[in-house]
């Protein structure tokens, strides 16, 4: 489909990447990864034709190759409804509709049915109708509605103006247009940034059935693993291309580096031995010819190089300022409307000190709204009380947009600092990879991930013991996300996290609140537990409907002997499972403490992370067993 040969791009004389080559084929679903600022979005712009390259060639293997590009920055024509905007995907069909309308108007106005002009109009009508049918003119409206529903829109939204929707929802409309177009190649720049979990799962299924080529820039590891079959990583101006999804790519690349290191070590030994022989033979005139021969042999050796890695990562720790009271947030009867749109109705929420909470649900259900109400950025009906000594640190979803593009990175931090921490600004910036000249960059030239890092750095300039973070992983590269996750796991304060990133949420929170239909529902477990519960609840609803008549006929008399015997056995099993859960939780807590207090020593232990993950997997299994046994006991009772 597309051949990229020795492609280079430079800005002001500095190469972002140089001499990269690869080929895109039909069915390729490529995960394009790399650190923030490595050039991922730039490469997509080069492939789409939005940007000129410095050297090299991009060649199309077929005529009329259609490339669709989901950009991070989009423009909409004001005054269109969602459906009207989505229909812009069908340019040829819409043009044919205008032709059909024009021909039909002419036919309606004419009465010279036997004339040549009328005959020509009828022939033209048939030709346009045939082309209209071939292009899918009679199906495109249904396809459009199906895609919009899949991306989270409701039918009642279809005739609303795009002006009334947030940037995240507008991005969904743009994504819908791309998916509706007959593109041969899709270039998707951070497509999951504004999608909730249900919409991400729908998009995964769509892309897995897509026959063209897809290149995806994403920092969602689970999304990459579920969709891609190939990974291209940009590292220090080079690319590494492997026919594997993200996680398998990491393993394969590590294995290759291990082999390279071993080969390099063996080669170095041979080189050292040869050099010793050369020195030995040089001293003797009779061996001079042999020495020259060895020197020529040494010059011809192709030195084995080990793939370079950019292992620089930010360092991050959220220190707790002071210990707050037991209850840090108490919200009662919260109601919030936006005109006729009711978002939250009679919400009660109590957050205890040390809680780790996730807010999940479809976009527009009130997650960010409640977060803003808690921190005082939005007014609402009801009452919100912050507990004794509570100091809230708030990271807004569009936090990076609040940064002043005309300021430098250093000036941004100095302006946000106070007398006590102004002297630490350089150190904080260094820990967020803004070292040396990088601190003097203007904010407007930073990538999305770099802006997010700067916004996180600003957060450290204020005292806090409660963290409320709304989609903090948007635009962060995978390594930075890992660092942020570890910092939040080690954070001893209270955390409220709005996120759609399943991998990021796994093992990070212990309580999930689902936002749906203006209400919230609590799930006592992490994101995996929540997703399992949602699926089980749907199955239970089916079971309830199919088994109603049977249940009505069950006798309400005392349990049979067999039921009592089974109940006793189940209670014994439940007791053992609960003991195992308690033991595993203590063990995992001990490992977490060990990592927090002596991380460098802990990770050196053989199989440390494997053992840690194994315990967490066991805990998840026991939690699942506990739930099933409890359900059986409730049924028997």
């Amino acid at each position: 489909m597309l051949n990229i040969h020795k492609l280079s791009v430079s800005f002001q004389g500095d190469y972002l990447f140089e001499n990269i080559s690869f080929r895109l084929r039909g069915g390729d679903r490529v995960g394009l990864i790399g650190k923030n600022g490595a050039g991922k979005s730039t490469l997509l712009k080069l492939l789409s034709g939005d940007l000129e390259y410095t050297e090299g060639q991009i060649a199309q293997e077929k005529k009329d190759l259609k490339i669709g590009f989901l950009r991070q920055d989009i423009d909409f024509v004001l005054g269109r409804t969602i459906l009207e905007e989505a229909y812009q995907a069908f340019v040829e069909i819409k043009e044919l509709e205008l032709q059909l309308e024009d021909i039909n108007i002419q036919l309606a106005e004419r009465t010279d049915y036997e004339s040549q002009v009328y005959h020509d109009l009828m022939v033209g009508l048939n030709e346009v109708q045939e082309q209209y049918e071939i292009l899918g003119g009679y199906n495109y409206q249904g396809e459009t509605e199906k895609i919009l529903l899949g991306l989270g829109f409701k039918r009642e939204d279809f005739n609303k103006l795009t002006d009334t929707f947030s940037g995240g929802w507008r991005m969904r409309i743009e994504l819908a247009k791309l998916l509706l177009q007959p593109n041969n190649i899709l270039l998707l720049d951070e497509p999951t940034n504004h999608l909730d979990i249900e919409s991400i799962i729908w998009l995964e299924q769509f892309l897995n059935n897509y026959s063209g080529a897809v290149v995806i820039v994403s920092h969602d590891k689970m999304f990459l693993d579920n969709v891609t079959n190939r990974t291209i990583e940009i590292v220090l101006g080079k690319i590494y291309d492997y026919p594997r999804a993200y996680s398998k790519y990491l393993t394969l690349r590590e294995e290759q580096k291990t082999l390279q290191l071993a080969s390099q070590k063996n080669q170095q030994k041979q080189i050292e031995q040869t050099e010793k022989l050369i020195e030995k033979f040089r001293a003797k005139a009779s061996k001079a010819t042999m020495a020259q021969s060895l020197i020529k042999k040494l010059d011809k050796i192709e030195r084995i190089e080990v793939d370079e890695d950019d292992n620089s990562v930010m360092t991050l720790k959220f220190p707790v300022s002071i210990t707050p009271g037991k209850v840090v947030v108490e919200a009662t009867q919260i109601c919030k409307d936006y005109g006729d749109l009711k978002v939250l109705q009679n919400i009660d929420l109590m957050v205890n000190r040390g809680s780790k909470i996730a807010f999940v649900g479809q976009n527009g259900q009130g997650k960010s709204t409640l977060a803003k109400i808690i921190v005082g950025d939005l007014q609402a009906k009801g009452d919100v009380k912050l507990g004794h000594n509570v100091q809230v640190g708030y990271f807004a979803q569009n936090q990076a947009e609040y940064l002043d593009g005309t300021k430098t990175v250093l000036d941004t931090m100095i302006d946000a600092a106070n007398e006590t921490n102004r002297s630490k600004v350089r150190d904080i910036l260094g820990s967020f990879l803004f070292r040396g000249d990088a601190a003097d960059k203007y904010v407007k030239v930073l990538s999305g991930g770099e802006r997010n890092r700067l916004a996180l750095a600003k957060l450290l300039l204020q005292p806090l013991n409660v963290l409320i973070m709304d989609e903090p992983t948007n635009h962060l590269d995978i390594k930075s996300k890992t660092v942020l996750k570890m910092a939040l796991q080690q954070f001893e304060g209270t955390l409220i996290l709005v996120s759609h990133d399943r991998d990021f949420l796994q093992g990070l929170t212990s309580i999930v609140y689902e936002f749906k239909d203006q209400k919230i529902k609590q799930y006592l477990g992490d994101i995996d537990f929540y997703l399992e519960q949602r699926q089980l609840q749907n199955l239970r609803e089916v079971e309830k409907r199919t088994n109603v008549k049977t249940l009505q006929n069950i006798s309400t008399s005392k349990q049979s002997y067999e039921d009592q015997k089974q109940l006793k056995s189940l209670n014994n099993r439940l007791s053992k499972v609960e003991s195992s859960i308690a033991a595993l939780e203590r063990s995992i807590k001990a490992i977490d403490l060990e990592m927090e207090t002596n991380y460098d020593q802990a990770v050196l232990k053989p199989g440390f992370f494997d053992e840690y993950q194994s315990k967490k997997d066991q805990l998840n299994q026991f939690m699942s067993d506990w739930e099933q046994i409890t359900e059986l006991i409730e049924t028997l009772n």
Side-chain angles (χ1 to χ4, degrees):
M1 281 191 167
L2 207 61
N3 269 319
I4 294 85
H5 183 64
K6 292 189 175 180
L7 198 68
S8 301
V9 63
S10 64
F11 298 102
Q12 297 177 340
D14 294 326
Y15 279 95
L16 186 60
F17 42 76
E18 192 172 6
N19 291 328
I20 64 171
S21 299
F22 60 93
R23 183 185 173 208
L24 282 179
R25 299 171 295 270
D28 278 349
R29 292 188 290 278
V30 180
L32 183 60
I33 64 171
K35 292 191 62 179
N36 294 136
K40 303 183 297 296
S41 295
T42 299
L43 182 54
L44 291 190
K45 290 174 183 176
L46 293 172
L47 297 179
S48 68
D50 280 12
L51 194 66
E52 289 291 326
Y53 42 89
T54 310
E55 299 163 15
Q57 186 180 19
I58 298 177
Q60 297 183 5
E61 295 179 1
K62 57 176 282 188
K63 291 182 179 180
D64 302 324
L65 189 76
K66 294 182 179 178
I67 300 175
F69 184 19
L70 180 70
R71 300 165 180 82
Q72 289 189 13
D73 48 336
I74 54 173
D75 292 318
F76 274 100
V77 175
L78 300 180
R80 286 179 184 158
T81 66
I82 287 178
L83 272 181
E84 287 169 344
E85 184 63 46
Y87 288 159
Q88 299 307 306
F90 305 98
V91 177
E92 291 179 80
I93 289 176
K94 300 304 285 185
E95 287 177 354
L96 290 173
E97 283 184 343
L98 291 175
Q99 290 181 38
L100 287 171
E101 185 180 359
D102 181 54
I103 292 172
N104 281 316
I105 290 172
Q106 291 185 57
L107 288 172
E109 291 174 346
R110 301 187 76 92
T111 56
D112 52 340
Y113 308 121
E114 302 299 326
S115 70
Q116 185 62 39
V117 175
Y118 194 88
H119 174 73
D120 291 343
L121 282 173
M122 290 298 296
V123 171
L125 179 64
N126 288 331
E127 288 176 353
V128 173
Q129 282 179 332
E130 185 178 350
Q131 185 65 17
Y132 186 74
E133 185 175 358
I134 290 170
L135 291 176
Y138 299 109
N139 303 320
Y140 81 93
Q141 293 179 335
E143 284 296 310
T144 302
E145 292 184 11
K146 185 170 73 174
I147 295 289
L148 288 173
L149 290 169
L151 288 172
F153 290 96
K154 296 178 180 177
R155 288 193 180 276
E156 52 264 35
D157 296 330
F158 289 172
N159 293 314
K160 293 178 182 176
L161 295 176
T162 59
D163 318 17
T164 62
F165 286 82
S166 66
W169 284 99
R170 291 188 187 190
M171 185 68 78
R172 291 188 189 211
I173 301 169
E174 192 67 15
L175 179 56
K177 285 160 63 177
L178 278 184
L179 301 184
L180 287 164
Q181 291 168 357
N183 291 306
N184 305 110
I185 297 174
L186 286 178
L187 307 175
L188 306 179
D189 197 354
E190 298 284 8
T192 64
N193 267 1
H194 299 286
L195 299 183
D196 51 60
I197 291 172
E198 291 180 7
S199 297
I200 290 173
I201 292 170
W202 179 89
L203 180 60
E204 288 174 356
Q205 293 169 346
F206 182 95
L207 293 177
N208 281 327
N209 293 319
Y210 180 69
S211 59
V214 187
V215 183
I216 304 166
V217 172
S218 178
H219 302 127
D220 186 330
K221 290 191 287 186
M222 192 171 290
F223 179 72
L224 289 173
D225 280 340
N226 290 342
V227 171
T228 63
N229 54 21
R230 180 178 171 190
T231 300
I232 296 178
E233 182 176 16
I234 304 176
V235 182
L236 300 173
K238 298 179 180 179
I239 66 164
Y240 298 93
D241 187 355
Y242 288 81
R244 298 285 188 278
Y246 177 74
S247 294
K248 290 181 180 177
Y249 155 74
L250 288 182
T251 304
L252 197 64
R253 180 143 185 249
E254 197 58 42
E255 289 172 356
Q256 181 170 331
K257 279 188 65 181
T258 303
L259 288 173
Q260 286 176 340
L261 283 167
S263 299
Q264 188 188 56
K265 193 174 180 181
N266 289 333
Q267 187 187 62
Q268 192 59 37
K269 282 181 182 178
Q270 292 174 4
I271 290 170
E272 288 171 2
Q273 289 171 357
T274 305
E275 287 173 340
K276 286 178 182 177
L277 285 172
I278 291 169
E279 289 300 316
K280 184 179 178 182
F281 293 157
R282 267 178 177 164
K284 298 178 182 179
S286 60
K287 302 286 187 181
T289 305
M290 190 175 290
Q292 288 300 318
S293 177
L294 287 172
I295 289 170
K296 288 179 182 178
K297 181 183 175 183
L298 199 61
D299 288 340
K300 289 179 181 178
I301 291 177
E302 189 174 335
R303 305 296 172 108
I304 295 171
E305 294 184 0
V306 178
D307 293 341
E308 287 186 276
D309 270 335
D310 187 351
N311 290 316
S312 56
V313 292
M314 65 177 183
T315 53
L316 179 58
K317 185 176 182 181
F318 296 104
V320 173
S321 52
I322 52 176
T323 303
K326 185 177 179 182
V327 176
V328 295
V329 178
E330 187 174 5
T332 53
Q333 295 296 293
I334 300 298
C335 298
K336 181 62 182 176
D337 303 338
Y338 292 101
D340 294 333
L341 178 64
K342 296 184 185 297
V343 180
L344 299 171
Q345 290 295 309
N346 301 322
I347 300 298
D348 292 327
L349 176 70
M350 182 178 288
V351 179
N352 291 322
R353 181 181 62 223
S355 298
K356 298 286 178 74
I357 295 170
F359 284 178
V360 303
Q362 287 189 334
N363 288 351
Q365 294 293 330
K367 306 184 298 296
S368 298
T369 298
L370 185 57
K372 290 176 182 177
I373 291 170
I374 291 172
V375 299
D377 277 9
L378 270 183
Q379 296 299 312
K381 295 178 182 177
D383 188 32
V384 175
K385 292 179 182 176
L386 298 183
H388 179 62
N389 282 340
V390 167
Q391 295 176 327
V392 178
Y394 176 51
F395 187 94
Q397 184 175 6
N398 56 344
Q399 190 77 40
E401 295 175 14
Y402 294 130
L403 300 173
D404 187 345
T406 62
K407 290 183 180 179
T408 65
V409 170
L410 181 60
D411 289 340
T412 299
M413 289 290 285
I414 288 174
D415 291 347
N418 54 41
E419 292 299 325
T420 59
N421 56 28
R422 191 164 286 127
S423 61
K424 299 177 183 177
V425 161
R426 282 274 185 187
D427 292 335
I428 294 173
L429 283 176
S431 68
F432 281 82
L433 305 182
F434 294 109
R435 301 177 183 128
D437 294 341
D440 297 322
K441 281 185 177 180
Y442 283 97
V443 171
K444 63 185 175 185
V445 304
L446 299 179
S447 69
E450 289 170 327
R451 291 189 186 200
N452 252 29
R453 287 210 310 263
L454 180 57
L456 283 170
K458 276 185 66 181
L459 195 59
L460 295 185
L461 294 173
Q462 64 182 92
L464 54 88
N465 48 33
V466 176
L467 259 176
I468 300 178
M469 308 189 85
D470 191 353
E471 302 290 6
T473 62
N474 280 358
H475 305 294
L476 283 184
D477 60 59
I478 292 172
K479 287 183 179 179
S480 297
K481 278 170 56 175
T482 302
V483 171
L484 176 59
K485 183 172 180 176
M486 288 180 63
L488 294 177
Q489 285 174 329
Q490 295 168 7
F491 178 53
E492 295 178 353
T494 307
L495 174 66
I496 297 177
L497 190 60
V498 181
S499 180
H500 62 261
D501 191 325
R502 293 159 293 172
D503 178 74
F504 185 73
L505 287 173
Q506 279 178 332
L508 185 53
T509 60
S510 55
I511 301 172
V512 174
Y513 281 99
E514 181 188 33
F515 286 65
K516 191 174 182 180
D517 299 330
Q518 305 158 30
K519 302 292 182 183
I520 62 173
K521 183 176 180 180
Q522 185 188 68
Y523 293 81
L524 295 174
D526 69 358
I527 190 65
D528 289 333
F529 175 76
Y530 157 72
L531 291 173
E532 288 169 9
Q533 286 291 103
R534 278 291 306 274
Q535 189 175 3
L536 285 171
Q537 283 179 351
N538 291 340
L539 291 173
R540 281 197 209 105
E541 290 302 316
V542 173
E543 289 168 1
K544 284 177 184 175
R545 285 195 292 270
T546 56
N547 293 334
V548 166
K549 291 182 180 178
T550 308
L551 290 172
Q552 286 175 346
N553 296 328
I554 293 177
S555 171
T556 56
S557 62
K558 290 184 178 180
Q559 293 171 323
S560 68
Y561 172 75
E562 286 299 321
D563 283 349
Q564 291 177 26
K565 186 177 177 181
Q566 188 180 358
L567 190 60
K568 185 177 180 180
S569 173
L570 286 170
N571 278 315
N572 289 335
R573 280 178 60 195
L574 186 65
S575 179
K576 290 178 182 178
V577 169
E578 287 175 341
S579 298
S580 298
I581 289 171
L584 279 169
E585 285 178 336
R586 287 195 298 271
S587 180
I588 290 170
K589 189 174 182 181
I591 295 174
D592 287 338
L593 183 62
E594 186 180 6
M595 284 198 291
E596 184 178 343
T597 56
N598 199 2
Y599 179 79
D600 291 336
Q601 290 297 319
V603 298
L604 290 175
K605 294 179 181 177
F608 176 84
F609 285 110
D610 288 341
E611 181 188 356
Y612 183 55
Q613 189 58 48
S614 175
K615 289 182 183 293
K616 296 186 87 171
D617 291 342
Q618 289 177 43
L619 180 60
N620 287 335
Q621 184 57 52
F622 277 125
M623 291 295 288
S624 178
D625 292 344
W626 181 88
E627 182 192 353
Q628 292 175 12
I629 295 167
T630 304
E631 287 176 16
L632 287 170
I633 290 172
E634 288 175 356
T635 302
L636 286 172
N637 282 330

